Amino acid sequence: VREPMFPFATKVWLALLDGQDQAVSFASATFSVLAIVATYALGRYAFSPLVGLLGALGVAVDKDLITWGADGWRDDALMCFVVWTSLALLRVFERPTAPAAALAGVAAAGAVLTRITALSFIVPGLLVVLAAGSGAFRTRLRAASMTLIVVAALSAPYFVNCWRVYGDPLYAVNHATGFYRARAGEVAD
């Protein structure tokens, strides 16, 4: 029912741990560690090594992040991809090159395949690259387009498969919306 990134990571850990239930916690912890590294990288790139270190330390010791992560929620995966995507988009903003755009596309696809609603920060980020990034507009447009093409190429199989199987390419969002509306006492339809 959900986007495939976190279930895939859980399946990898299930295989590594011989089917033990702790696999979901290990999957979450993996993304937590990667989010700490990403926070350091983003802080260092945008400001300084000290800012990166302080940001990473804040993420590493946050009580709620640790508690939720140990329970095996996919929020750590989304946080991981949000931070990596932010770093990648910042690089595209400063240097709109094909390699930077491709890397941003991979990170953004990871975010979309963790939560479809990640498009709510990816699209505005690309609009900022277009409106105010470095280089000529044509160069920025080419980089933003390449980022979107990579996101589409990596995430399209999931959407096509949802459309093929469920008749709805946004099945994960629409199914969850019905669940949360019903849970709130509203009409699920």
Side-chain angles (χ1 to χ4, degrees):
V1 173
R2 288 297 199 179
E3 297 86 342
M5 186 61 71
F6 190 75
F8 174 76
T10 302
K11 287 180 183 183
V12 168
W13 277 106
L14 280 167
L16 292 172
L17 296 174
D18 199 30
Q20 295 181 45
D21 288 344
Q22 294 87 352
V24 72
S25 294
F26 273 83
S28 188
T30 299
F31 287 115
S32 294
V33 170
L34 292 173
I36 293 166
V37 172
T39 301
Y40 172 75
L42 178 60
R44 179 182 174 150
Y45 185 82
F47 300 104
S48 71
L50 179 60
V51 170
L53 186 62
L54 291 173
L57 179 64
V59 171
V61 301
D62 184 87
K63 177 184 175 271
D64 290 328
L65 291 175
I66 294 168
T67 303
W68 282 67
D71 286 342
W73 293 87
R74 67 190 174 125
D75 298 308
D76 298 276
L78 182 63
M79 175 179 57
C80 173
F81 285 111
V82 166
V83 179
W84 282 117
T85 302
S86 299
L87 174 59
L89 287 174
L90 182 58
R91 292 180 58 96
V92 172
F93 180 87
E94 292 180 352
R95 285 181 249 118
T97 63
L103 189 59
V106 170
V112 168
L113 292 172
T114 302
R115 280 211 180 118
I116 294 170
T117 55
L119 289 169
S120 67
F121 79 87
I122 295 166
V123 171
L126 288 172
L127 290 174
V128 169
V129 167
L130 279 174
S134 298
F137 179 77
R138 186 177 293 240
T139 304
R140 297 189 313 259
L141 179 61
R142 190 173 25 249
S145 298
M146 177 178 268
T147 300
L148 283 176
I149 288 167
V150 171
V151 171
L154 294 176
S155 60
Y158 168 71
F159 293 109
V160 168
N161 196 47
C162 283
W163 190 11
R164 186 182 63 78
V165 173
Y166 301 111
D168 180 5
L170 300 176
Y171 181 75
V173 171
N174 293 329
H175 183 273
T177 300
F179 169 78
Y180 288 117
R181 287 179 61 91
R183 187 171 165 191
E186 299 177 12
V187 177
D189 295 340

